[in-house]
Amino acid sequence: MVFAIEEINRNPELLPDITLGYKIFDSCDVPSESLKGAFKLLKEKDGSASNYTCAGVPPVPMIVGDGGSSQSIAVSRVVAPFGIGMVSYFASCACLSDKREFPTFFRTIPSDTVQMKALVRVIQHFKWTWVGAVAEDNDYGRFGMRSFIEEVAKFEICIAYIEFLSPGRTRERIQQVAETMKKSSAKVTIIFSGASDTMSLVTELRLQNITDIQLIASEAWVTSFQLWTEETREILSGSIGFGIRRAEIPGLREFLVKLHPSIAPDNPFVEELWREVFGCSVKISNQSLEENTSPSPYKPCTGSESLETIETTYTDVSQLRVSYNVYKAVYAVAHALQNLQSCGDGKGPFLNETCGQKSNILPWQLLHYLREVRFTNQFGEEISFDKNGDPIASYDLINWQKRSDGSVEFIKVGFYDAALPAGKELVLDERRIVWHGTALEKKVPVSTCSDSCLAGTRRGARNGQPICCFDCLPCTDGEISNQTDSIECIKCPIDYWSNDRRDQCILKEIEFLSFQDGMGITLTAISLFGACITGSVATVFLYFINTPIVRANNSELSFLLLISLILCFLCSIAFIGQPSPWSCMVRHTVFGVSFVLCISCILSKTLVVLMAFKATLPASNVMKWFGPTQQRSIVFLCTLIQIIICVIWLVTSPPLPAKNTKYQSAKIILECDVGSTVAFCCVLGYIGLLACMCLVLAFLARALPDKFNEAKFITFSMLIFFAVWVTFIPAYVSTPGKYTVAVEIFAILASSFGLLCCIFAPKCYIILLKPDENTKKHLMGKTEMNRIG
């Protein structure tokens, strides 16, 4: 501060007609001492109250300080009623941004709110979700932790513990904090305290051999050389944290090395510095040593000691950060004062007040111009204050790295600039970071409560624990997670299913009874075989068309029945293959019409058998009503009704292909949806009605005398027909997938074979193997014997 004031006084362009003076008070890092200094500034030298103070005009218009947040809070509350402004260089507590409580407070260090945003961005960047926090128990630490908690709540970051260091720094309390850090699974810890508290904690960590924790430093100690000792470097190596911007102020080192006890013999700072650097005391003379009975631990200084001859941290100006903030604070006040002196009469911020009087500077006027100050200093940095009295926030990210000689080097590995666009404030050079551990350690530390959940799993919260502590649960069937730490599993689209790893949706397996399946090939072969057998029977009947057994009961109906059976066998092939609109319509309509045609022929044949024996009764002419024309009409009308039902079905709500995922979620079963359930039931119900009529009539004609009574075989064929289709219903309902269609085909084929075998096998047996019985005489003979008996 002294250097900056003297530099301004020598500057002919800045305050050319004004010489700045100063008073310096040591607050000793204690709020009570800060208040003592503040009260001294408000009083005269003799201790009596100043006339200016009593008149409302304090003798000091501006204060640069204090260095600590607690001290600044105490002083600001005292001097604010007098309109005296304060420009702090190191008080970063977020509470000081409240202008209602601290209306005259300004600072050249950013608020801890911004620092916490920067620290949380770093934590988020390196995916540290489980961190600990240690803070000093004062305004700086408490408000800093409040800002930290508010900021981490915006992200998925959990705080493992928060410990406060008591102001007295008792060994017992520090041991408790170290024990908490040791027991915790968090391997990254923020230490938000000053250098002295940090030194006490780091020393205790070394004593307890806690060396596996990555430390994150606050700006209060991130560049404190004094912390780095042979005992603590194992703990501090690799530490990172945000430090305020630095600058190399020209001429400052030359100013510092000129400091000598002869210049300021009563300055306590010089005495302390000489004891620290040279190990001697400037206040001890040889005479006082002879008179003093208690020896001093320090030898007397010779007077030849000079800071120019040694290199020490006190003369190192390469890492000026807090000092640079002091430098900026002094220049901000100087520029505000120059703007105040430059204003014209009557143009001041307050009416009835004169601005520009060099001999009477009013603090509230200077305060007004301090709020409006804006300039760019010699280092290219813009100096200004926002509405809260805070500067434009910017930090350097510092990494503690050990040199080959064992000393520490502060390496800038990035920066945070709040003036940059949102999301781009943090800039990192990860290649330059050396993490805690060996000097060549480049692996980013891991600090999580639970390991990351891999793709295919999701996070499941643990009862009573933070969200960062979770279990990894596998996604259920049909759901996936394609990234780590998924909160929810994503349900696959309807046509997709999860793979075995549950990290990707794949197309569901499409299932239908195809011609390439073994079952499809078998059923196709059986269908063709049945059609061929039926065709062979038709050929036999055609060859022996003039024989009595073929001509019996209307051979025309027999051939029509054989044709319908061929259609029944072949219609089952339409049920095989991938369903399409035309195949769905064909399979159901052809099936319905073919079976109705078949049952109609059997019904007509049954009526012929029954009526034929009724016609043998005396005076009976019933056969004239059941001639070939009537028989064909019966078949035609019965079939026409089914055709009409099918046409209405196809026009209104036809069967169409559908994807069924109800029974097997991992598969898509391609099937034909019947469309109109009513129409489908009508088709099946009509077939069942005709079959019932056939069964009843055939049962009535079973005992009629005949050498070859066809009614018996029709009865047996209808029983087989009903047995097959009654068994089909529960099997169809309970069989999933492509086997449903296979059951339906099996029912068609079984009933078709039943009809074919029961009705035509006995006739073929006689035609081919018992030709001697295929005579009219043989058939009629049996009839006559039955009559005689």
Side-chain angles (χ1 to χ4, degrees), residues 112 115-116 118-120 122-123 128 132 134 140 145 188-195 198 202 213-224 227 235-236 238-244 395-400 410 435:
D112 285 337
Q115 182 184 186
M116 284 306 175
L119 288 175
V120 171
V122 171
I123 293 172
W128 297 327
V134 178
Y140 172 72
M145 284 300 99
V188 173
T189 299
I190 295 177
I191 299 182
F192 204 77
S193 63
T198 302
V202 171
I213 298 178
Q214 171 70 47
L215 299 182
I216 300 180
S218 67
E219 94 294 340
W221 66 271
V222 72
T223 55
S224 295
L227 296 177
I235 307 295
L236 295 173
S239 299
I240 62 171
F242 284 103
I244 51 185
Y395 293 96
D396 292 338
L397 185 60
I398 307 300
N399 183 215
W400 289 46
F410 299 139
W435 295 106

Side-chain angles (χ1 to χ4, degrees), residues 5 8-11 14-21 334 337-338 340-341 356-359 361:
I5 290 175
I8 292 170
N9 288 336
R10 294 193 303 268
N11 190 341
L14 184 60
L15 299 175
D17 300 325
I18 294 178
T19 300
L20 297 179
L337 181 58
Q338 174 149 308
L340 173 62
Q341 295 292 298
Q357 292 186 3
K358 300 179 182 179
S359 59
I361 298 175

Side-chain angles (χ1 to χ4, degrees), residues 427-731:
V427 178
L428 288 174
D429 186 1
E430 295 186 43
R431 297 172 299 176
R432 303 188 64 189
I433 300 178
V434 175
W435 295 106
H436 180 68
T438 63
L440 299 178
E441 186 65 53
K442 292 293 183 181
K443 186 178 180 180
V444 179
V446 177
S447 185
T448 57
C449 181
S450 301
D451 293 334
S452 294
C453 292
L454 301 177
T457 61
R458 66 174 180 85
R459 300 195 321 191
R462 296 176 182 171
N463 290 332
Q465 295 192 28
I467 60 172
C468 302
C469 301
F470 49 82
D471 296 317
C472 295
L473 306 177
C475 294
T476 58
D477 292 340
E479 296 183 347
I480 65 161
S481 63
N482 52 11
Q483 60 185 6
T484 57
D485 292 332
S486 294
I487 303 296
E488 297 285 345
C489 292
I490 305 171
K491 192 171 183 179
C492 291
I494 190 170
D495 291 340
Y496 289 81
W497 194 249
S498 56
N499 60 359
D500 293 338
R501 295 189 302 273
R502 305 287 195 274
D503 60 357
Q504 185 179 6
C505 287
I506 57 176
L507 280 171
K508 288 182 178 179
E509 180 184 349
I510 297 177
E511 185 178 84
F512 58 89
L513 187 62
S514 70
F515 290 102
Q516 287 74 34
D517 289 341
M519 185 177 296
I521 295 173
T522 301
L523 293 175
T524 302
I526 295 174
S527 300
L528 294 175
F529 175 74
C532 292
I533 292 296
T534 308
S536 300
V537 172
T539 302
V540 171
F541 270 52
L542 184 62
Y543 185 79
F544 295 96
I545 192 171
N546 294 318
T547 60
I549 203 166
V550 174
R551 295 175 62 187
N553 296 335
N554 196 334
S555 61
E556 184 179 345
L557 287 179
S558 296
F559 282 108
L560 190 58
L561 177 58
L562 288 170
I563 292 172
S564 65
L565 284 173
I566 291 174
L567 291 176
C568 289
F569 280 114
L570 294 180
C571 78
S572 63
I573 299 177
F575 287 81
I576 304 173
Q578 182 172 348
S580 61
W582 71 267
S583 68
C584 288
M585 290 186 288
V586 166
R587 68 172 61 172
H588 287 96
T589 54
V590 172
F591 158 74
V593 173
S594 299
F595 267 87
V596 165
L597 178 61
C598 179
I599 302 300
S600 299
C601 293
I602 296 173
L603 177 63
S604 183
K605 289 174 72 66
T606 306
L607 286 171
V608 170
V609 172
L610 186 62
M611 292 301 110
F613 282 93
K614 293 290 183 181
T616 60
L617 298 176
S620 176
N621 59 353
V622 70
M623 281 304 298
K624 71 178 182 179
W625 300 107
F626 287 94
T629 303
Q630 287 77 14
Q631 295 172 24
R632 287 193 294 268
S633 299
I634 290 174
V635 173
F636 175 76
L637 289 175
C638 291
T639 307
L640 180 63
I641 293 173
Q642 183 74 308
I643 292 174
I644 292 173
I645 295 173
C646 290
V647 169
I648 295 173
W649 184 12
L650 295 178
V651 171
T652 56
S653 181
L656 293 173
K659 296 178 179 179
N660 188 345
T661 58
K662 180 179 179 180
Y663 298 107
Q664 296 186 22
S665 301
K667 295 181 179 180
I668 297 177
I669 301 173
L670 292 182
E671 60 183 14
C672 287
D673 183 62
V674 296
S676 173
T677 305
V678 175
F680 181 65
C681 291
C682 288
V683 169
L684 295 182
Y686 185 62
I687 296 174
L689 176 63
L690 293 180
C692 288
M693 293 173 63
C694 285
L695 178 62
V696 171
L697 293 176
F699 182 78
L700 294 175
R702 73 188 188 287
L704 293 177
D706 193 1
K707 175 66 177 177
F708 188 82
N709 191 349
E710 195 173 20
K712 296 178 181 179
F713 303 113
I714 293 174
T715 302
F716 190 60
S717 67
M718 287 296 101
L719 289 175
I720 294 177
F721 182 86
F722 274 106
V724 169
W725 285 101
V726 169
T727 307
F728 158 78
I729 294 173

